[in-house]
Amino acid sequence: MGIVNTTPDSFSDGGRWIDAQAAIRHALKLREDGADILDVGGESTRPGAAVVPVAEEIRRVLPVIEALAGRGCVVSVDTKKPEVMRAALDAGAAMVNDVMALRVPGAMEAVAASDAAVCLMHMQGEPQNMQQAPAYADVVQEVKQFLHGRLAACEAAGIRRERLVVDPGFGFGKTLEHNLALLRHLDRLAALVAPVLAGLSRKSMLGALTGRAVEEREFAGVAAHLAALARGARLLRVHNVAAMCDALAVWNAVEEQQDGT
Ligand code: 9MG
């Protein structure tokens, strides 16, 4: 899954049309590099990020989703807002990536009314306060229980299990130790019988481990995603699709022996 940001400062400050065109170009490059899914978002989920009004978020993501879906891309919309979900699904998105796991009133209904897939992510708190004092007795067990509850809620709302993906939400209300425990024991989430998505690209835990700035965390990100893959992750949400695909080519060549040796 390749990450496509449509926040105005992501590409340029040259005007709205330029921002949309730049996002589309970037997304098509990610597809060329090997992304199977393009995750289009119009509101940052970084700690402390500003809330974007619904109309503005729709204005940012819709032209990009329409253009990509029109070119046959599989598009996911990264949003927690039911109005944005509905607009994106109408415009051709095939998946909703929701960091709130459909807990915003109306979100569950918006997805249930479609046949789209949905990624249910765990987050403790909200982006505005989530890193202030994250606390768990047993982070792996608590995240697993939360995701189990959200899977059950989706199924009760008529969203079949085949449409569901789960995600521990690395960096969302978690310390470095919490993130490492979740990565180390990701196989326990894989036992939930829904594909696991891992998103570690450029995250602060990689900065804490390597001392590197955001734009220098590519190698650390690849290593972290391979660790997730080894523990059962089936979708990887990344900025640098080309680097991840190279790593996967090597990984798959080693893991998928034809002769059984
Ligand atoms: C939007 N977003 C930012 N980080 C993410 C992650 O780790 N997982 C998912 N599903 N979405 C994310």
Side-chain angles (χ1 to χ4, degrees), residues 10-45:
S10 302
F11 293 96
S12 74
D13 58 358
R16 295 179 169 188
W17 185 87
I18 292 173
D19 285 334
Q21 294 308 306
I24 293 162
R25 262 202 315 279
H26 178 67
L28 292 174
K29 172 71 167 62
L30 295 182
R31 183 170 71 157
E32 212 178 287
D33 288 345
D36 294 316
I37 305 172
L38 300 168
D39 191 35
V40 179
E43 179 181 68
S44 173
T45 51

Side-chain angles (χ1 to χ4, degrees), residues 39 45 78 97 99 119 121 167 169-170 172 197-200 203 237:
D39 191 35
T45 51
D78 157 18
N97 174 26
V99 299
C119 178
M121 201 198 76
D167 182 339
F170 291 106
F172 285 82
L197 185 151
L200 294 136
K203 293 218 169 146
R237 183 179 182 276

